[in-house]
Amino acid sequence: MLKTINLHKKYNDFTALRSLNLEVGKGEIFALLGQNGAGKSTTINILLGLIKATSGDAFINNISVKDHPQDIKKHLAYIPETVLLYPNLTGIENLDFFSQIAGFSYTEEELANFLKRTGLQETAHHKALGGYSKGMRQKVGIAIALAKNAKVLLLDEPTSGLDPIATAEFTEIVRQLGQEGRTVFMATHDIFNAVSVATNIGIMKQGELVQYLPSKDFSASELQGLYLKTI
């Protein structure tokens, strides 16, 4: 569902990404770890078609990002660290608006069901988003991904700033997405969450993927030790 082939990105004399080769399959949850500046955000931005790779290519559902940057968008959903939605609209109004932009039209009951699937309490559906917590905004973002039937979700620092309860709720939602056959690619600093939810884990350093690990082979403390040695 997601593949990169010799993906390379240079900014003048600075190399942000070095020959990244990666495959993430259907239903897989892949967590990419690395310090700030390691290349995680560059990777996501190339996958989204927001920046062009210097060389190499990426594929979403076997569609080239380089050759068909618009076509990949119907298969993708992006949930950034801070979900950018309209604070004066309600949760259900935001969901309706972004669904229609993606070409989908739903009844209010269908919209509510998407929100319920993410665990957003019904009492919040008709409240303005300006009063939502970060975790609640993320749930609306995930509901938008469900409504547009995205096959691949790209998440950037999804647990940053979440309390333990919201982190646990997010982890369960992501696990369910994988069980539904959706592919999740998340860039994160949260080692413990990565071990808890991810199928496979990568560690980036200075633009290179230097470790690729099945999460089942490591405890959180073991991964933390390896991560600290690697970076």
Side-chain angles (χ1 to χ4, degrees):
M1 293 301 299
L2 185 156
K3 184 177 183 179
T4 67
I5 300 176
N6 294 325
L7 209 57
H8 197 87
K9 179 62 179 177
K10 273 190 96 169
Y11 295 98
N12 298 320
D13 293 331
F14 175 70
T15 301
L17 205 58
R18 301 172 188 268
S19 300
L20 178 64
N21 290 286
L22 183 65
E23 289 189 32
V24 186
K26 182 179 180 181
E28 183 178 343
I29 300 167
F30 180 80
L32 187 61
L33 301 171
Q35 292 182 300
N36 290 336
K40 304 188 305 297
S41 294
T42 297
T43 301
I44 286 179
N45 285 330
I46 291 174
L47 291 170
L48 289 168
L50 297 178
I51 61 175
K52 292 183 178 180
T54 304
S55 60
D57 200 358
F59 297 84
I60 303 296
N61 198 23
N62 293 319
I63 300 171
S64 164
V65 175
K66 179 174 65 177
D67 295 337
H68 305 284
Q70 293 304 315
D71 291 344
I72 64 163
K73 289 179 172 35
K74 60 186 175 185
H75 301 287
L76 276 177
Y78 173 52
I79 301 175
E81 182 175 355
T82 301
V83 180
L84 301 175
L85 300 169
Y86 289 101
N88 295 329
L89 298 181
T90 66
I92 209 161
E93 286 171 342
N94 268 283
L95 177 56
D96 184 35
F97 176 75
F98 285 101
S99 297
Q100 291 197 44
I101 285 178
F104 296 89
S105 181
Y106 296 106
T107 65
E108 185 165 328
E109 182 180 1
E110 288 171 327
L111 293 167
N113 285 334
F114 285 124
L115 293 172
K116 288 176 188 176
R117 284 175 62 186
T118 70
L120 184 70
Q121 56 267 42
E122 289 186 54
T123 54
H125 290 189
H126 295 282
K127 290 184 178 178
L129 214 84
Y132 279 27
S133 66
K134 178 181 177 181
M136 292 166 72
R137 291 195 301 272
Q138 279 189 330
K139 289 175 181 178
V140 177
I142 293 172
I144 292 169
L146 295 174
K148 67 178 288 192
N149 197 29
K151 296 178 175 64
V152 179
L153 283 80
L154 304 179
L155 313 179
D156 195 1
E157 298 295 347
T159 58
S160 173
L162 296 185
D163 62 38
I165 292 175
T167 297
E169 290 176 344
F170 167 81
T171 299
E172 183 55 34
I173 293 168
V174 171
R175 194 173 284 123
Q176 289 174 8
L177 292 171
Q179 290 170 354
E180 292 173 7
R182 301 178 199 271
T183 299
V184 179
F185 180 101
M186 64 183 204
T188 182
H189 287 102
D190 190 339
I191 290 172
F192 292 91
N193 183 253
V195 169
S196 174
V197 72
T199 313
N200 292 297
I201 296 169
I203 301 176
M204 290 197 85
K205 180 180 180 181
Q206 296 177 348
E208 292 186 77
L209 185 67
V210 293
Q211 296 281 358
Y212 181 88
L213 315 159
S215 60
K216 62 181 177 60
D217 292 348
F218 293 85
S219 67
S221 59
E222 288 171 336
L223 179 61
Q224 184 177 40
L226 178 62
Y227 176 74
L228 291 174
K229 287 179 184 178
T230 301
I231 62 170

